[in-house]
Amino acid sequence: MQLSALLSLLVAASAVQAHTTLQYINDSTAPIRRPSSNNPIQNVGSTDLACNVNGANPVTAKLSVAAGSSVTLEWHHETRTSQAIDPSHKGPVLTYLAKVPNAAAANSPATLGWFKIQHDGLTLNGATENWAVDKLNANSGKYTARIPSNIAAGDYLLRSEVIALHGAGSQGGAQFYVGCAQITVTGGGSASPPTVKIPGAYKATDPGVLVSIYYPKLTSYTIPGPAPYSG
């Protein structure tokens, strides 16, 4: 095999090793719509951006969650013995909800109205950068998101997202890792937060999507999508 071909294979293998999937919500795998692979989505106009490839296929289980409580989402390359995502894949972590009549039957996530409930991007402390992905890896692939206390009870799709920006200096280079889980919210109130469509919430030229994270050195980072609804 020629050296150039071997190097290409090694680079491709390394890239795949860096990928990740949502694997647990509150330590359960059952309510998660598992994608067919751990590859990213790189087209912000793709319907797969809503819940990933295979995300339109419901599963049977739903996780019951009390309004006002928090859920723990857990990401890994393969299993719990592997890292969440390659440390070079700096970027934000985001969480959305979409109200549905029955989470175990909702089969068109790209047509739903989504509202963001959590996001974390870049924290700067002098010259030190701390990305949400850094925190995710430091916490063994786990992060928490609070379910707003005043949203209506009922079924929702929960959308967890990690955006890797190591290649985002050119348009189409940002990598979107998406996973959806089926939940039933208990308690709550009657709030109906404003929503966005996914795809539709992001543009390929948004400053949080098309961005060089290496040079010039960032002084701030704008997380894509709407502001989180706290409730």
Side-chain angles (χ1 to χ4, degrees):
M1 179 181 292
Q2 292 184 347
L3 179 59
S4 59
L6 178 59
L7 289 174
S8 296
L9 288 173
L10 290 174
V11 169
S14 175
V16 172
Q17 290 296 317
H19 296 175
T20 188
T21 56
L22 176 67
Q23 298 195 13
Y24 297 89
I25 177 170
N26 286 5
D27 283 325
S28 176
T29 63
I32 295 175
R33 299 182 176 191
R34 296 296 297 271
S36 54
S37 76
N38 61 9
N39 292 329
I41 299 155
Q42 292 184 254
N43 176 6
V44 295
S46 170
T47 56
D48 290 334
L49 192 65
C51 279
N52 210 330
V53 177
N54 199 42
N57 296 325
V59 293
T60 303
K62 294 184 280 188
L63 178 72
S64 181
V65 182
S69 68
S70 293
V71 292
T72 299
L73 293 309
E74 187 172 343
W75 287 78
H76 292 287
H77 163 61
E78 287 182 341
T79 67
R80 276 179 160 168
T81 61
S82 62
Q83 63 186 358
I85 189 170
D86 190 279
S88 69
H89 285 34
K90 309 297 188 186
V93 174
L94 313 87
T95 315
Y96 291 79
L97 291 176
K99 186 79 169 66
V100 292
N102 180 0
N107 59 6
S108 300
T111 67
L112 300 176
W114 297 89
F115 59 98
K116 188 190 289 182
I117 61 170
Q118 174 275 342
H119 69 198
D120 187 15
L122 172 64
T123 303
L124 292 169
N125 184 9
T128 302
E129 297 182 347
N130 191 20
W131 286 93
V133 161
D134 298 325
K135 300 174 189 177
L136 190 69
N137 275 324
N139 199 36
S140 302
K142 298 178 182 179
Y143 79 94
T144 60
R146 177 181 172 273
I147 305 299
S149 60
N150 64 356
I151 61 172
D155 280 11
Y156 291 79
L157 294 187
L158 182 149
R159 177 182 182 272
S160 178
E161 179 178 34
V162 178
I163 307 177
L165 301 172
H166 57 290
S170 58
Q171 190 167 317
Q175 296 182 353
F176 298 84
Y177 297 91
V178 180
C180 283
Q182 302 175 174
I183 68 171
T184 300
V185 174
T186 61
S190 58
S192 181
T195 63
V196 296
K197 296 294 185 181
I198 301 175
Y202 307 157
K203 295 183 178 65
T205 54
D206 283 347
V209 176
L210 179 60
V211 56
S212 173
I213 64 172
Y214 303 111
Y215 183 84
K217 190 172 179 62
L218 292 178
T219 57
S220 65
Y221 171 72
T222 303
I223 301 171
Y229 177 80
S230 61

mmCIF file of all heavy atoms in Angstrom, residues 6 14 56 104 118 124 126 141 183-184 186-187 193-194 201 216 223:
data_model
loop_
_atom_site.group_PDB
_atom_site.id
_atom_site.type_symbol
_atom_site.label_atom_id
_atom_site.label_comp_id
_atom_site.label_asym_id
_atom_site.label_seq_id
_atom_site.Cartn_x
_atom_site.Cartn_y
_atom_site.Cartn_z
ATOM 1 N N LEU A 6 -2.122 4.892 2.983
ATOM 2 C CA LEU A 6 -2.122 4.441 4.373
ATOM 3 C C LEU A 6 -2.424 5.598 5.308
ATOM 4 O O LEU A 6 -3.213 5.465 6.257
ATOM 5 C CB LEU A 6 -0.757 3.827 4.711
ATOM 6 C CG LEU A 6 -0.570 3.347 6.164
ATOM 7 C CD1 LEU A 6 -1.610 2.289 6.504
ATOM 8 C CD2 LEU A 6 0.836 2.813 6.365
ATOM 9 N N SER A 14 -8.992 7.734 12.613
ATOM 10 C CA SER A 14 -8.895 8.634 13.749
ATOM 11 C C SER A 14 -10.133 9.500 13.862
ATOM 12 O O SER A 14 -10.651 9.760 14.945
ATOM 13 C CB SER A 14 -7.650 9.510 13.621
ATOM 14 O OG SER A 14 -7.598 10.463 14.658
ATOM 15 N N ALA A 56 -36.455 9.675 13.313
ATOM 16 C CA ALA A 56 -37.898 9.719 13.076
ATOM 17 C C ALA A 56 -38.582 8.414 13.463
ATOM 18 O O ALA A 56 -39.816 8.306 13.349
ATOM 19 C CB ALA A 56 -38.177 10.034 11.606
ATOM 20 N N ALA A 104 -43.932 8.257 21.938
ATOM 21 C CA ALA A 104 -43.666 6.938 21.370
ATOM 22 C C ALA A 104 -44.302 6.761 20.001
ATOM 23 O O ALA A 104 -44.228 5.672 19.423
ATOM 24 C CB ALA A 104 -44.152 5.841 22.317
ATOM 25 N N GLN A 118 -31.386 24.611 27.683
ATOM 26 C CA GLN A 118 -30.038 24.659 28.257
ATOM 27 C C GLN A 118 -29.035 24.871 27.152
ATOM 28 O O GLN A 118 -29.206 24.371 26.032
ATOM 29 C CB GLN A 118 -29.729 23.338 28.994
ATOM 30 C CG GLN A 118 -28.324 23.191 29.525
ATOM 31 C CD GLN A 118 -27.311 22.649 28.490
ATOM 32 O OE1 GLN A 118 -27.708 22.072 27.486
ATOM 33 N NE2 GLN A 118 -26.047 22.843 28.740
ATOM 34 N N LEU A 124 -14.168 31.892 29.408
ATOM 35 C CA LEU A 124 -12.800 32.402 29.350
ATOM 36 C C LEU A 124 -12.369 32.882 30.728
ATOM 37 O O LEU A 124 -13.089 33.620 31.399
ATOM 38 C CB LEU A 124 -12.701 33.551 28.349
ATOM 39 C CG LEU A 124 -12.887 33.188 26.872
ATOM 40 C CD1 LEU A 124 -13.033 34.448 26.033
ATOM 41 C CD2 LEU A 124 -11.702 32.355 26.382
ATOM 42 N N GLY A 126 -9.041 34.629 31.677
ATOM 43 C CA GLY A 126 -7.767 35.108 31.173
ATOM 44 C C GLY A 126 -7.479 34.453 29.841
ATOM 45 O O GLY A 126 -8.291 34.499 28.920
ATOM 46 N N GLY A 141 -18.600 12.189 30.289
ATOM 47 C CA GLY A 141 -19.635 12.214 29.262
ATOM 48 C C GLY A 141 -20.994 12.684 29.730
ATOM 49 O O GLY A 141 -21.949 12.676 28.949
ATOM 50 N N ILE A 183 -39.644 11.568 26.580
ATOM 51 C CA ILE A 183 -39.940 11.768 28.000
ATOM 52 C C ILE A 183 -41.400 12.150 28.192
ATOM 53 O O ILE A 183 -42.061 12.654 27.283
ATOM 54 C CB ILE A 183 -39.031 12.836 28.634
ATOM 55 C CG1 ILE A 183 -39.329 14.238 28.085
ATOM 56 C CG2 ILE A 183 -37.556 12.482 28.438
ATOM 57 C CD1 ILE A 183 -38.596 15.360 28.837
ATOM 58 N N THR A 184 -41.894 11.903 29.400
ATOM 59 C CA THR A 184 -43.202 12.368 29.841
ATOM 60 C C THR A 184 -42.993 13.273 31.040
ATOM 61 O O THR A 184 -42.438 12.836 32.062
ATOM 62 C CB THR A 184 -44.121 11.193 30.234
ATOM 63 O OG1 THR A 184 -44.316 10.335 29.109
ATOM 64 C CG2 THR A 184 -45.470 11.696 30.717
ATOM 65 N N THR A 186 -44.271 15.324 34.181
ATOM 66 C CA THR A 186 -45.374 15.320 35.146
ATOM 67 C C THR A 186 -45.356 16.634 35.921
ATOM 68 O O THR A 186 -44.325 17.283 36.061
ATOM 69 C CB THR A 186 -45.262 14.133 36.110
ATOM 70 O OG1 THR A 186 -44.020 14.232 36.843
ATOM 71 C CG2 THR A 186 -45.277 12.809 35.354
ATOM 72 N N GLY A 187 -46.528 16.990 36.451
ATOM 73 C CA GLY A 187 -46.623 18.252 37.176
ATOM 74 C C GLY A 187 -46.612 19.405 36.187
ATOM 75 O O GLY A 187 -47.196 19.333 35.111
ATOM 76 N N PRO A 193 -43.664 27.843 25.704
ATOM 77 C CA PRO A 193 -42.565 28.706 25.262
ATOM 78 C C PRO A 193 -42.542 28.877 23.744
ATOM 79 O O PRO A 193 -43.016 28.007 23.005
ATOM 80 C CB PRO A 193 -41.315 27.940 25.730
ATOM 81 C CG PRO A 193 -41.797 27.006 26.787
ATOM 82 C CD PRO A 193 -43.189 26.640 26.397
ATOM 83 N N PRO A 194 -42.005 30.000 23.268
ATOM 84 C CA PRO A 194 -41.839 30.174 21.815
ATOM 85 C C PRO A 194 -40.894 29.114 21.262
ATOM 86 O O PRO A 194 -39.969 28.675 21.952
ATOM 87 C CB PRO A 194 -41.251 31.578 21.688
ATOM 88 C CG PRO A 194 -40.672 31.893 23.024
ATOM 89 C CD PRO A 194 -41.497 31.159 24.021
ATOM 90 N N ALA A 201 -33.377 26.628 12.676
ATOM 91 C CA ALA A 201 -32.878 27.473 13.763
ATOM 92 C C ALA A 201 -31.450 27.947 13.526
ATOM 93 O O ALA A 201 -31.034 28.967 14.080
ATOM 94 C CB ALA A 201 -32.952 26.721 15.083
ATOM 95 N N PRO A 216 -7.933 34.180 14.688
ATOM 96 C CA PRO A 216 -7.379 34.806 15.902
ATOM 97 C C PRO A 216 -8.016 34.236 17.165
ATOM 98 O O PRO A 216 -9.113 33.669 17.095
ATOM 99 C CB PRO A 216 -7.725 36.268 15.713
ATOM 100 C CG PRO A 216 -8.951 36.257 14.841
ATOM 101 C CD PRO A 216 -8.770 35.097 13.914
ATOM 102 N N ILE A 223 -23.325 31.145 21.045
ATOM 103 C CA ILE A 223 -23.948 29.829 20.901
ATOM 104 C C ILE A 223 -25.111 29.938 19.912
ATOM 105 O O ILE A 223 -25.946 30.841 20.028
ATOM 106 C CB ILE A 223 -24.445 29.308 22.253
ATOM 107 C CG1 ILE A 223 -23.285 29.199 23.244
ATOM 108 C CG2 ILE A 223 -25.138 27.952 22.096
ATOM 109 C CD1 ILE A 223 -23.715 28.895 24.662
#
